[in-house]
């Protein structure tokens, strides 16, 4: 799952430099020159992370960060502040308003990419390109492959064929193990919050995912929690199916 990064920066040269490096890394990039423009763009597309300049025209980055944190739809978006301010009090102010990281200008593009990856890995592991291994399943986002190890031979593995939606669904569940997710939460995180489909669509894809996992004896990892939703768990518990 490719992460979408929004850059809110009013200096064209800096915006272009960041955008160029992020696109080369494989991210989808959205650019805004003001908080007002960024707010309009967020209404259409919810980014996975916001790179936010402190000094913006009309509304400061700090004010915009506060508005993002106050919105029900945007409160969980990871935010990295970009600023020339180096005072500790400024850094503390940004972090206390909910920023996940703080980078001072000038900065190295390599460092910025590394910090973005670290925040995404911590806050949104389902958009990371790291291999995930849970319960005997191994999912590689880069090659788009899911395999299960042969218990009798460590060198052998069986590949599980999944459709793109089932792959994204399994990736999300495997990176959020033991947590119960409602259908609406799965729709927002796997399908996107601007995709309008019925909650029961989740049930259809869960069934397809289980059928694929059943062929390798791993369908019990995707559990239904009656009256609540679904979870990925290596443990069998009361109330799960």
């Amino acid at each position: 799952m490719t992460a979408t990064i929004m850059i809110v920066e009013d200096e064209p040269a800096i915006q272009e430099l960041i955008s160029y490096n992020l696109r080369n890394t494989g991210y989808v990039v959205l650019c805004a020159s003001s908080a007002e423009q960024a707010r309009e763009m967020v209404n259409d597309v919810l980014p996975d992370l916001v790179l936010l300049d402190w000094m913006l025209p009309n509304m400061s980055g700090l004010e915009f960060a506060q508005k993002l944190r106050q919105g029900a739809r945007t409160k969980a978006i990871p935010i990295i502040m970009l600023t020339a301010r180096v005072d500790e009090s400024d850094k503390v102010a940004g972090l206390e308003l909910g920023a996940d990281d703080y980078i001072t200008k000038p900065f190295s593009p390599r460092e910025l990419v590394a910090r973005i990856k670290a925040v995404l890995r911590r806050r949104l592991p389902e958009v990371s390109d790291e291999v995930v291994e849970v319960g005997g399943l191994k999912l590689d986002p880069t090659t788009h492959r899911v395999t299960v190890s042969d218990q009798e031979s460590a060198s052998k593995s069986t590949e599980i064929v999944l459709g793109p939606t089932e792959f994204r669904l399994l990736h999300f569940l495997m990176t959020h193990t033991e947590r119960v997710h409602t259908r609406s939460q799965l729709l927002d995180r796997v399908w996107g919050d601007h995709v309008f489909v019925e909650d029961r669509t989740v049930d259809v894809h869960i069934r397809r995912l289980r059928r694929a996992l059943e062929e390798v004896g791993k369908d019990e990892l995707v559990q239904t929690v009656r009256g609540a939703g679904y979870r990925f768990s290596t443990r069998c518990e009361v109330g799960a199916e």
Side-chain angles (χ1 to χ4, degrees), residues 53-180:
D53 185 29
W54 185 302
M55 300 298 291
L56 293 169
N58 301 322
M59 181 190 299
S60 73
L62 210 59
E63 291 176 281
F64 184 54
Q66 190 171 26
K67 290 184 180 297
L68 289 176
R69 288 291 174 256
Q70 291 171 345
R73 181 170 163 266
T74 57
K75 64 182 180 182
I77 299 176
I79 299 171
I80 297 179
M81 299 293 298
L82 302 175
T83 180
R85 295 172 179 259
V86 296
D87 291 345
E88 183 181 358
S89 59
D90 293 326
K91 182 175 182 178
V92 170
L95 295 174
E96 285 183 342
L97 272 179
D100 295 87
D101 205 348
Y102 188 105
I103 300 178
T104 55
K105 301 175 182 178
F107 53 82
S108 158
R110 289 181 63 186
E111 179 192 3
L112 177 61
V113 169
R115 302 275 277 270
I116 288 172
K117 287 183 176 180
V119 171
L120 289 175
R121 190 163 53 243
R122 185 171 69 247
R123 292 286 302 277
L124 298 171
E126 73 273 16
V127 301
S128 170
D129 58 4
E130 292 190 348
V131 173
V132 186
E133 292 189 65
V134 186
L137 292 180
K138 180 179 180 180
L139 184 148
D140 188 338
T142 303
T143 61
H144 207 275
R145 287 181 175 172
V146 180
T147 54
V148 58
S149 299
D150 189 329
Q151 294 181 350
E152 296 181 358
S153 174
S155 62
K156 294 182 180 179
S157 62
T158 302
E159 184 171 348
I160 304 168
V161 179
L162 296 175
T165 301
E166 287 72 40
F167 184 88
R168 293 196 306 271
L169 183 58
L170 180 61
H171 192 188
F172 178 79
L173 291 171
M174 286 180 67
T175 51
H176 297 81
T177 59
E178 307 301 335
R179 304 181 198 176
V180 179

Side-chain angles (χ1 to χ4, degrees), residues 10 14 44 57 60 73 103 112 186 189 192 199 220 228 232:
D10 64 329
I14 296 178
D44 293 328
S60 73
R73 181 170 163 266
I103 300 178
L112 177 61
L186 289 172
R189 299 297 296 273
D199 285 359
E220 77 284 350
F232 188 98

